[in-house]
């Protein structure tokens, strides 16, 4: 029985998660499967132009920043945020919503992503509390099945985070300090995911560009060029085509860093609405409209 014991610490608890499996990371078949599957869960269109009339790009930025803050304060695994944003984008591609329903959608997507990508899901009551109770627990539960059905029950998207470890281990100058490189790269990547301009980009391309942006100041230029070429070749991309994306990500990170708190978040226990250091501020994009209480208020 001892051989069946899982020592992996669940998310939202003390202790590290299970380490990466080097066999999986070095196996080309795994990376090829990721590349083959990624097109199926990329948002199918720019919904701001063709679907949504009340939701604007800046509103997506606000709601995804709120989602990121919730995930950080609750110590969620990094995939929870990326998967939740993917759910939001894909839902908005097929279903018209009002701006007053956007935070409700975000809370439901966080709930679903946490159920799928970490051991301990976020509580419905907790998510309602993070909305300053503008979204009720009943609304979140009512919308859960709606979101799943609109996503076609396809709840295992390939995200840019899936590629990070595979890319780092393939570049010698990056694999010397993989933990440090990974920390900065995933931070850049999380900020990029909040930007509407990157929502339809291939996850592999976004992962390469984020890693390249994160390591550019810390390694010589010839090593940086070699690393970019190696990573791009690993995911069948042209490195020249990635050059315009890299400064865009750097601008996003620089701009967001100007508004971050001066005291970094540090804690040895998961934060809750009663002990968190700084709660995500209620989103001010709804013009005072109250979230509808009926699922039928969506315009199909």
């Amino acid at each position: 029985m001892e051989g069946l014991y899982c020592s992996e610490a669940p998310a939202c608890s003390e202790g590290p998660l299970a380490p990466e499996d080097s066999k999986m990371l070095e196996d080309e078949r795994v990376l090829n499967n990721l590349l083959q599957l990624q097109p199926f869960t990329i948002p199918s269109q720019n919904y701001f132009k063709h679907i949504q009339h009340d939701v604007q790009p800046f509103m997506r930025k606000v709601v995804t920043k709120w989602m990121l803050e919730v995930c950080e304060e609750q110590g969620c695994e990094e995939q929870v945020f990326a998967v939740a944003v993917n759910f939001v984008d894909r839902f908005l591609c097929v279903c018209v919503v009002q701006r007053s329903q956007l935070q409700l959608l975000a809370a439901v997507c966080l709930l679903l992503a946490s159920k799928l990508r970490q051991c301990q899901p976020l509580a419905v009551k907790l998510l309602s509390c993070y909305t300053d109770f503008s979204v009720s627990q009943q609304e979140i539960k009512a919308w859960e099945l709606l979101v799943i059905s609109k996503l076609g029950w396809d709840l295992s998207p390939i995200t840019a985070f899936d590629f990070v470890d595979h890319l780092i281990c393939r570049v010698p100058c990056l694999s010397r300090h993989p933990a440090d490189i990974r920390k900065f790269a995933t931070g850049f990547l999380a900020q990029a995911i909040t930007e509407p301009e990157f929502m339809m980009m291939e996850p592999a391309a976004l992962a390469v560009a984020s890693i390249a942006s994160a390591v550019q100041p810390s390694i010589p230029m010839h090593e940086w060029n070699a690393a970019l070429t190696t990573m791009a070749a690993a995911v069948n991309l042209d490195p020249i085509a990635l050059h315009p994306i890299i400064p865009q990500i750097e601008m996003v990170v620089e701009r967001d860093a100007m508004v971050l708190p001066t005291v970094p978040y540090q804690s040895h226990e998961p934060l809750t609405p009663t002990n968190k250091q700084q709660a995500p501020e209620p989103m001010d994009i709804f013009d005072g409209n109250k979230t509808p209480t009926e699922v039928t208020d969506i315009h199909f």
Side-chain angles (χ1 to χ4, degrees):
M1 293 297 292
E2 292 183 358
L4 300 177
Y5 173 72
C6 178
S7 59
E8 176 182 347
C12 306
S13 66
E14 297 183 10
L17 299 176
E20 297 82 6
D21 188 342
S22 60
K23 297 298 182 181
M24 296 285 288
L25 296 179
E26 296 169 1
D27 194 330
E28 292 292 337
R29 296 174 298 176
V30 178
L31 184 57
N32 289 335
N33 285 338
L34 292 175
L35 293 172
Q36 292 175 11
L37 293 172
Q38 70 172 348
F40 297 105
T41 51
I42 296 175
S44 58
Q45 59 182 316
N46 186 342
Y47 49 79
F48 298 115
K49 294 182 178 180
H50 307 294
I51 302 295
Q52 304 300 329
H53 306 293
D54 195 33
V55 177
Q56 302 299 320
F58 81 91
M59 299 176 187
R60 180 192 183 276
K61 172 74 172 180
V62 172
V63 78
T64 53
K65 292 291 290 184
W66 174 80
M67 295 166 70
L68 179 58
E69 291 175 0
V70 171
C71 289
E72 288 177 343
E73 293 205 356
Q74 286 302 307
C76 295
E77 295 186 38
E78 60 194 18
Q79 282 282 8
V80 172
F81 171 67
V83 170
V85 174
N86 178 270
F87 289 168
V88 170
D89 288 332
R90 288 165 55 202
F91 184 88
L92 293 176
C93 284
V94 298
C95 194
V96 178
V97 302
Q98 303 300 314
R99 67 179 64 187
S100 57
Q101 299 167 313
L102 194 56
Q103 193 171 27
L104 169 58
L105 173 62
V108 174
C109 291
L110 283 173
L111 174 64
L112 291 171
S114 67
K115 286 183 177 181
L116 293 161
R117 290 301 184 106
Q118 67 181 25
C119 300
Q120 181 179 341
L122 297 172
V124 174
K125 182 179 180 180
L126 181 73
L127 291 170
S128 177
C129 181
Y130 271 120
T131 68
D132 200 20
F133 300 103
S134 63
V135 172
S136 69
Q137 298 181 53
Q138 291 73 24
E139 288 173 314
I140 295 175
K141 294 176 181 178
W143 272 51
E144 189 174 7
L145 183 58
L146 172 66
V147 172
I148 292 174
S149 63
K150 289 298 181 180
L151 297 179
W153 294 82
D154 189 353
L155 304 179
S156 297
I158 303 301
T159 73
F161 284 98
D162 290 314
F163 292 94
V164 171
D165 292 318
H166 291 274
L167 294 169
I168 292 177
C169 76
R170 284 168 169 76
V171 182
C173 67
L174 303 184
S175 57
R176 290 196 292 265
H177 304 284
D180 294 335
I181 296 297
R182 190 181 193 283
K183 177 181 178 180
F184 285 104
T186 53
F188 275 52
L189 186 53
Q191 297 297 332
I193 289 176
T194 66
E195 292 295 321
E197 60 191 284
F198 297 127
M199 68 182 182
M200 295 181 64
M201 183 175 294
E202 289 186 351
L206 190 57
V208 173
S210 297
I211 296 172
S213 299
V215 303
Q216 189 172 23
S218 59
I219 61 176
M221 183 56 64
H222 69 278
E223 288 190 357
W224 183 84
N225 286 324
L228 178 60
T229 301
T230 301
M231 291 189 293
V235 292
N236 303 323
L237 294 173
D238 181 3
I240 297 178
L242 296 174
H243 278 284
I245 306 172
I246 296 172
Q248 294 180 28
I249 295 178
E250 293 172 350
M251 290 178 59
V252 169
V253 174
E254 182 178 358
R255 182 174 64 245
D256 290 344
M258 295 175 63
V259 297
L260 290 178
T262 55
V263 180
Y265 162 69
Q266 290 181 343
S267 176
H268 297 290
E269 62 178 346
L271 293 177
T272 66
T274 57
N275 72 351
K276 59 183 181 297
Q277 296 177 357
Q278 183 177 1
E281 297 180 358
M283 299 191 310
D284 187 19
I285 62 175
F286 300 142
D287 297 337
N289 295 331
K290 185 178 180 181
T291 304
T293 57
E294 297 289 336
V295 175
T296 54
D297 287 337
I298 289 188
H299 300 282
F300 292 95

